[in-house]
Amino acid sequence: MKHSDLIDQGSIVTITTALERQTVLLAGRESVGKSQLAAAWAKQPARSANFRGSTVHIEHYLTERFDLVDTPGILRTSDSETTRLALQEMSHHETVLLVVQATCLDEDLAEMLPLLKGKRGAVAVTFWDKVQPGEASQEALERLEKETGLRFIAMNARMPTTVTLAALEEAIERSQAFPENPPKSKTGWRIESKPGILEGRFGAVFCLILLLIPALLTIFGANRLADLLHPLVAQAIQPAIEWVNASFPAWLAAPLTAEYDDFGYGLLNMGPFLLVWAFPTVLLFAVISAIYKTTGLIERINITLHPLVRPLGLSGRDLVRVLVGFGCNVPAVISTRACSSCSRGNAISAISFGAACSYQLPATLAVLSAGAVANGTNPLWPMIGYFAYLLVTTMIYLRLTSTSVSRDRLNMLMHFQRPFLQWPSWSAIYREMRGTLEQFLFQAMPIFVVICGVTSLLAYSGAIAVLSAALSPIMTIFNLPPSASVAMVMASIRKDGIFLLTPLEGATTPMTTLQFLTAVYLAGVLLPCLVTALQISREMGWQFAVKMMARQAIFASLFAALLGWSGTFWN
Ligand SMILES: Nc1nc2c(ncn2[C@@H]2O[C@H](COP(=O)(O)OP(=O)(O)OP(=O)(O)O)[C@@H](O)[C@H]2O)c(=O)[nH]1
Ligand SMILES: [Mg+2]
């Protein structure tokens, strides 16, 4: 039998097409629509977002005829990791599709053409939907085509028509050499998005309100829901806990229902509460984050707040990454690759210290709420106190640890064109929710199960008592009882270890509301979680990670001690 007989007709077509696919690199400045175009062309859901520097990896999109290589946006004035990566990738490819934004066409060409020396290709002009349609605009493109010898294909990259894509494919097949110098003829266009209330006199106030909305929704939405569900779940699992305790041997019951000092550590007496408390917040944050990212609100906030965060050694661009960190610190640390190397370290420090991730936040609020109820206090005050203290101490920490160069008043935003506001994209929201759900089920839950198992075995073996006794003098520094030490250790592995501070239903609490506040603060900021710490050392080297964590632990301890003993100053 001949080899080819073994392959059915369909596979031959696939193999041939794969072999013949031409590689085309998409290059351009940030947020010009490279990812959007590549995704639409390959008929895949767009992985793009409406803030600068959203792509940080080289990504491949396959169409029938092309292997499209999507690169991070290039900022010639920046020393960012992403610009370096894009330029390095460009050096490996001959055919380039230059993507420029119609709204600042002259600027994009002047910036990009000198980088394309020796390459061949064509030009995709995106955001054509923002240009006044008519002969004049078409003629301007024809003039540019004549002068440069390149094909210019105008489009709305969010929904390119089949005619547009066919024209694009033809233009690539008839690739021309890029000229070394930008064309003399200019379109003279500069189409700006209109300023809105975020750019007005009280813009910063509105930005802060927008930033508070996720926190408020968490407190009043997700946590209220959890408040309602908590007693129902507690009631539902009680018979199971009793059954396990009565019928299982102690060593087997321990990982399921272990308690220490009235705190439940087991899978059964703690696991369901993680679902009740963390899951709604994690999902809600994913939705809000997708809305802010796809509408362009996050970039507008970045531009308005830039002058306010600069004295802390951050730029508005870094601030966007810190906000992403409230979802999960790990992708936020990765996304700092698009930051200037001058302030990247500060951005990572800010994420690690101040961005309470959507596992840390619900755990913190659940503990504060349970602690306040046990002490007969209104839970709202410790919650507000927590946010205020975290914000103020993060600002002090950054001010004292950032380099003077990064705080220089002359530091400007690297690219300050306002993005056009857009309606939220449902597919992006769906994608973010699905990603978060998968991460929750397949990454967070297994690690949490391990934490529960390890902690309950430690409790069973008596190791926690030993550990607590050993750390007891240290806990005294913060005016905390020895049992709080376990949560500090576990929260350094995963932030929902903070849940270990939750007093069980109806138990008499050994801590005051202020002590709860101090304990959750310390467990939250003492160290980043283990996965974040590993990611930081992967991005910046282990020396940076160790130095940053040591510094963070010292500052966190000082701030926590101050908070813990502040009650005695007042009395
Ligand atoms: N109105 C309009 N919006 C567009 C167009 N192309 C892209 N966008 C939007 O612009 C934003 C940025 O698009 P991306 O595809 O992420 O841009 P990018 O060049 O990949 O950006 P980086 O990866 O950050 O360099 C997204 O919100 C897109 O939906 C277009 O032709 N018209
Ligand atoms: Mg992109």
Side-chain angles (χ1 to χ4, degrees):
M1 192 185 279
K2 279 196 301 193
H3 178 62
S4 56
D5 291 342
L6 292 170
I7 309 169
D8 68 74
Q9 212 57 33
S11 325
I12 293 175
V13 173
T14 321
I15 291 169
T16 328
T17 324
L19 287 177
E20 286 175 0
R21 263 193 201 113
Q22 188 188 346
T23 306
V24 179
L25 179 123
L26 274 69
R29 297 213 288 170
E30 290 178 338
S31 268
V32 292
K34 299 178 295 299
S35 306
Q36 184 80 57
L37 172 60
W41 199 345
K43 302 195 171 36
Q44 282 183 22
R47 273 177 259 159
S48 66
N50 201 0
F51 67 91
R52 293 189 189 285
S54 58
T55 304
V56 292
H57 300 110
I58 304 294
E59 286 167 8
H60 289 259
Y61 291 81
L62 300 182
T63 73
E64 250 176 53
R65 289 161 67 181
F66 299 105
D67 174 2
L68 304 172
V69 186
D70 182 24
T71 57
I74 292 175
L75 249 181
R76 273 181 69 188
T77 47
S78 165
D79 54 357
S80 69
E81 191 65 22
T82 44
T83 294
R84 196 190 55 73
L85 179 68
L87 291 175
Q88 187 189 21
E89 185 68 20
M90 201 148 81
S91 67
H92 299 142
H93 299 275
E94 200 197 338
T95 311
V96 174
L97 178 65
L98 172 61
V99 185
V100 292
Q101 203 170 338
T103 51
C104 48
L105 187 53
D106 298 332
E107 235 177 72
D108 276 12
L109 286 175
E111 182 96 358
M112 289 300 302
L113 282 177
L115 301 175
L116 297 173
K117 211 166 133 187
K119 310 277 173 205
R120 302 177 70 78
V123 184
V125 183
T126 55
F127 284 80
W128 197 244
D129 48 307
K130 299 288 177 195
V131 173
Q132 197 97 51
E135 273 179 28
S137 41
Q138 206 55 50
E139 274 169 16
L141 286 194
E142 280 163 16
R143 264 202 315 277
L144 285 172
E145 285 193 333
K146 221 178 214 168
E147 192 180 331
T148 58
L150 296 164
R151 286 289 314 276
F152 280 66
I153 315 289
M155 70 189 73
N156 175 352
R158 287 183 303 171
M159 43 184 97
T161 60
T162 36
V163 177
T164 307
L165 291 179
L168 208 48
E169 293 186 358
E170 197 203 319
I172 290 171
E173 259 150 29
R174 298 187 182 179
S175 286
Q176 295 296 323
F178 284 100
E180 279 185 27
N181 295 314
K184 290 205 176 60
S185 59
K186 306 280 176 218
T187 62
W189 304 326
R190 171 115 191 154
I191 304 159
E192 298 253 15
S193 117
K194 288 197 193 77
I197 51 169
L198 293 186
E199 287 76 31
R201 213 161 137 214
F202 299 106
V205 177
F206 286 113
C207 286
L208 292 174
I209 292 174
L210 276 178
L211 294 184
L212 274 180
I213 287 176
L216 293 177
L217 280 176
T218 312
I219 295 176
F220 292 108
N223 283 308
R224 275 286 149 82
L225 178 70
D227 258 341
L228 288 176
L229 292 178
H230 189 112
L232 301 178
V233 172
Q235 212 176 2
I237 59 173
Q238 195 53 37
I241 294 175
E242 281 166 15
W243 177 72
V244 167
N245 287 342
S247 41
F248 281 35
W251 63 269
L252 198 56
L256 294 171
T257 60
E259 285 181 8
Y260 180 75
D261 227 11
D262 277 344
F263 298 143
Y265 289 160
L267 255 185
L268 199 56
N269 56 2
M270 184 149 169
F273 297 111
L274 174 77
L275 275 177
V276 167
W277 284 96
F279 191 58
T281 314
V282 168
L283 217 52
L284 188 69
F285 192 88
V287 173
I288 298 173
S289 153
I291 294 176
Y292 279 25
K293 284 196 271 185
T294 57
T295 50
L297 272 176
I298 203 162
E299 187 71 16
R300 294 268 186 131
I301 293 173
N302 140 23
I303 295 172
T304 301
L305 293 186
H306 173 75
L308 294 184
V309 294
R310 205 205 47 237
L312 307 175
L314 297 179
S315 77
R317 173 180 286 259
D318 304 320
L319 184 66
V320 172
R321 274 77 199 168
V322 179
L323 299 180
V324 170
F326 279 84
C328 174
N329 284 190
V330 176
V333 168
I334 296 173
S335 75
T336 59
R337 288 179 195 171
C339 297
S340 154
S341 65
C342 160
S343 63
R344 188 178 178 201
N346 302 341
I348 291 179
S349 295
I351 293 166
S352 170
F353 196 101
C357 72
S358 47
Y359 293 95
Q360 178 179 342
L361 215 52
T364 298
L365 298 182
V367 171
L368 288 180
S369 163
V373 170
N375 282 296
T377 329
N378 182 345
L380 204 57
W381 295 118
M383 287 182 190
I384 293 173
Y386 173 78
F387 282 116
Y389 200 64
L390 183 64
L391 178 68
V392 170
T393 51
T394 305
M395 287 166 68
I396 297 173
Y397 171 66
L398 285 174
R399 177 76 205 186
L400 295 179
T401 57
S402 57
T403 56
S404 57
V405 179
S406 61
R407 293 197 304 267
D408 198 304
R409 286 177 54 195
L410 297 175
N411 278 349
M412 310 252 278
L413 261 187
M414 291 192 281
H415 193 308
F416 45 82
Q417 203 196 7
R418 265 192 300 277
F420 293 94
L421 284 182
Q422 299 179 336
W423 285 106
S425 129
W426 298 116
S427 63
I429 293 174
Y430 168 74
R431 202 162 15 97
E432 193 105 6
M433 279 176 74
R434 209 184 66 181
T436 305
L437 194 69
E438 282 170 5
Q439 202 183 20
F440 187 86
L441 292 177
F442 303 118
Q443 286 178 18
M445 284 308 277
I447 297 179
F448 185 74
V449 167
V450 173
I451 285 195
C452 278
V454 170
T455 319
S456 44
L457 285 177
L458 287 177
Y460 174 71
S461 65
I464 283 190
V466 176
L467 190 70
S468 296
L471 291 178
S472 162
I474 299 176
M475 289 296 107
T476 319
I477 299 174
F478 309 107
N479 195 16
L480 291 175
S483 56
S485 58
V486 185
M488 305 305 147
V489 177
M490 289 302 163
S492 305
I493 300 174
R494 258 194 74 81
K495 285 297 156 189
D496 30 31
I498 293 173
F499 271 115
L500 301 176
L501 290 164
T502 319
L504 278 189
E505 280 288 286
T508 47
T509 165
M511 293 205 277
T512 64
T513 304
L514 185 63
Q515 282 179 315
F516 271 114
L517 194 58
T518 310
V520 291
Y521 175 84
L522 185 59
V525 298
L526 185 66
L527 288 169
C529 78
L530 192 60
V531 190
T532 306
L534 289 174
Q535 191 62 44
I536 294 174
S537 73
R538 207 171 296 154
E539 296 288 322
M540 307 291 284
W542 66 268
Q543 288 101 329
F544 174 93
V546 169
K547 202 171 136 199
M548 190 210 76
M549 287 195 289
R551 204 175 54 192
Q552 176 169 335
I554 293 169
F555 274 89
S557 303
L558 287 174
F559 291 136
L562 195 66
L563 184 65
W565 291 102
S566 61
T568 45
F569 299 144
W570 293 333
N571 294 334

